[in-house]
Amino acid sequence: MSSNVETPVKVSASRLYESLMELARIGATDKGGSCRLALTELDGQGRDLVTQWMRDAGMSIHVDQVGNIFARRSGLDDSLPAVMTGSHIDTQPTGGKFDGCFGVLAGLEVIRTLNDHGIQTRAPLEVAIWTNEEGTRFVPVMMGSGAFIGRFSVDEVLATTDKDGLTVGDELKKIGYAGELPVGQRAVGAYFEAHIEQGPILEAERKTIGVVTGSLGLRWYDITVTGMEMHAGPTPMTGRRDALYTSTIIMQDVVNYARQHAPYGRGTVGLVNVFPGSRNVIPGKVTFTVDYRHPDASVLQQMHERLESVCEQVAQEHNVEVKVTEVSYFPPTPFDVKMVQSVREAAVACGYSHMDIVTGAGHDAVHMASIAPTAMVFVPCKDGISHNEIEDATPEDLGAGAQVLCDAMLSAAS
Ligand SMILES: [Zn+2]
């Protein structure tokens, strides 16, 4: 089980960075980001460019029915399940140059590096480009990897429409990525994903590598508070049934309770609607969302219970009706202990500063963790900013992430 610690196999940080910059030119935005919404013509051009690079690196390209791309490099024993890495190259409307693209191109850089050194792995290697990770144009997010693991059916994915009524199926055909490969029928022995952190922790802690131990679980709620609309002037402060005032008590508690569960607890109210929405009417109805996250399911359960009890309490105290509907539950996903350890060992062997971290964002790796031993490698991004055109990361950090990916994949594939 000893991995080759004194590996002379060095990735090229500059080649990786140049490829990232070249891909970013497709759909480049004024403020230095990229806009390649899933399955648009620009997404198609991005796919064409990257798959051409993959072919140039000697890989064979396989596309499944939902447009997931698998670039394969044969191993010495092709009967073994592939050691896979991957991510996505679709972006947010005002997306950056690194979210997703780094993971795919780091995988390509691993392959290019192995080619340079004439290294053949025992297990085959694959680099995946997952369809529609961002979920901006077509909902849900992480669509391609979700179909791959059987969370969504192929038919429902292909029938999904954007706001103009265009379907995933038709748009895949238009850009030439409606593949024939059945979805999900690939043997995956291990899955790695490199990604920018999309948060501020690594930068603040001055660490180069985030060893991702798993993802936060999340619970989403829709809350409706119903009081009574009354005139803001003649109605005294006592006896009001103010739905907004009452809602703010719940909102405060959501955030404060998450703060009590630092550093991993998260509590967010992101969307609020006030009815009737008039300056001089006491709000009669408010709807809002709650997003609770934590890596421990039992703490998430406490958050759930806290929310219910606070809602019950304020309903009584303020003579309003509070309805809590849970709309989503993703349990926390711990990554595979051995795989996480191999990422940690690779960081140590390379002499990179590193720390354990959990991911608060969803990634294709979180889906993949349900069918294969999975781990992720994070690198810092400037000021923790992502899903923004100014998203930035240094060539050195990106190169370090690709190096750790390379070493971890080599160890898994030998
Ligand atoms: Zn991403």
Side-chain angles (χ1 to χ4, degrees):
M1 283 303 293
S2 73
S3 60
N4 187 10
V5 278
E6 256 127 349
T7 171
V9 185
K10 286 286 164 233
V11 304
S12 165
S14 59
R15 177 170 57 190
L16 167 62
Y17 197 76
E18 277 161 30
S19 296
L20 278 162
M21 293 307 108
E22 197 173 334
L23 175 56
R25 266 180 235 136
I26 300 174
T29 60
D30 290 346
K31 292 181 196 154
S34 299
C35 176
R36 292 188 307 274
L37 296 187
L39 311 185
T40 54
E41 206 183 316
L42 289 169
D43 184 26
Q45 288 174 24
R47 287 164 173 254
D48 291 348
L49 178 66
V50 176
T51 51
Q52 187 54 52
W53 285 337
M54 289 164 158
R55 285 194 182 92
D56 293 346
M59 306 180 88
S60 58
I61 304 293
H62 312 267
V63 183
D64 74 14
Q65 291 161 342
V66 298
N68 293 320
I69 299 167
F70 303 93
R72 184 177 172 93
R73 184 182 196 259
S74 290
L76 295 170
D77 182 354
D78 272 327
S79 68
L80 291 172
V83 171
M84 188 185 278
T85 188
S87 199
H88 60 97
I89 61 171
D90 67 313
T91 74
Q92 291 284 326
T94 52
K97 299 191 276 284
F98 305 96
D99 176 4
C101 302
F102 167 55
V104 172
L105 296 183
L108 174 62
E109 179 54 37
V110 169
I111 303 299
R112 286 169 165 172
T113 301
L114 298 185
N115 289 348
D116 293 346
H117 290 80
I119 292 171
Q120 203 64 37
T121 52
R122 218 159 80 78
L125 303 181
E126 294 194 354
V127 180
I129 304 175
W130 301 109
T131 293
N132 183 36
E133 192 273 349
E134 294 290 2
T136 305
R137 182 179 176 204
F138 298 102
V139 178
V141 296
M142 306 188 290
M143 183 183 257
S145 55
F148 188 81
I149 63 155
R151 191 182 173 109
F152 317 125
S153 79
V154 173
D155 289 343
E156 76 182 302
V157 165
L158 295 180
T160 303
T161 53
D162 70 1
K163 65 175 172 32
D164 299 320
L166 301 169
T167 65
V168 166
D170 286 343
E171 295 301 280
L172 275 171
K173 278 184 207 140
K174 246 183 250 173
I175 62 168
Y177 285 88
E180 299 197 334
L181 209 66
V183 175
Q185 293 175 24
R186 297 185 87 68
V188 183
Y191 182 79
F192 292 96
E193 183 164 348
H195 209 282
I196 57 167
E197 182 200 340
Q198 302 183 285
I201 296 171
L202 292 177
E203 191 179 64
E205 302 287 330
R206 297 176 181 277
K207 305 289 188 204
T208 303
I209 297 295
V211 179
V212 187
T213 55
S215 76
L216 299 182
L218 74 81
R219 295 183 88 151
W220 280 359
Y221 304 86
D222 284 344
I223 300 195
T224 304
V225 178
T226 310
M228 167 106 83
E229 286 145 37
M230 293 175 90
H231 198 302
T235 315
M237 297 311 288
T238 49
R240 290 186 176 205
R241 301 176 63 205
D242 187 332
L244 179 56
Y245 175 71
T246 313
S247 296
T248 61
I249 300 169
I250 303 169
M251 293 174 191
Q252 295 270 337
D253 196 77
V254 165
V255 174
N256 289 333
Y257 196 65
R259 279 188 181 149
Q260 286 171 32
H261 291 85
Y264 294 132
R266 314 269 193 270
T268 306
V269 174
L271 182 67
V272 182
N273 294 297
V274 181
F275 304 97
S278 172
R279 183 188 299 270
N280 56 358
V281 178
I282 299 164
K285 189 171 101 169
V286 172
T287 62
F288 62 96
T289 60
V290 171
D291 173 323
Y292 260 141
R293 302 186 193 217
H294 199 278
D296 182 338
S298 69
V299 178
L300 271 179
Q301 180 59 25
Q302 288 169 32
M303 290 170 149
H304 173 82
E305 284 159 18
R306 169 77 172 208
L307 182 64
E308 289 202 315
S309 78
V310 167
C311 287
E312 229 176 87
Q313 200 184 317
V314 296
Q316 275 186 11
E317 257 171 48
H318 298 273
N319 195 21
V320 296
E321 196 186 301
V322 183
K323 195 169 139 239
V324 181
T325 311
E326 181 161 9
V327 291
S328 272
Y329 176 51
F330 280 88
T333 308
F335 289 152
D336 184 82
V337 175
K338 270 195 198 156
M339 299 274 292
V340 172
Q341 180 58 17
S342 78
V343 168
R344 197 179 287 119
E345 279 170 9
V348 171
C350 297
Y352 300 134
S353 58
H354 64 92
M355 66 182 284
D356 286 2
I357 193 167
V358 292
T359 173
H363 293 290
D364 296 307
V366 177
H367 275 157
M368 290 302 285
S370 69
I371 61 152
T374 293
M376 289 190 79
V377 182
F378 273 179
V379 296
C381 58
K382 191 168 184 292
D383 302 324
I385 295 170
S386 181
H387 283 189
N388 189 313
E389 290 155 277
I390 63 168
E391 179 183 274
D392 203 5
T394 68
E396 295 74 29
D397 288 345
L398 296 163
Q403 186 64 56
V404 168
L405 178 68
C406 181
D407 293 3
M409 285 183 76
L410 273 178
S411 137
S414 62

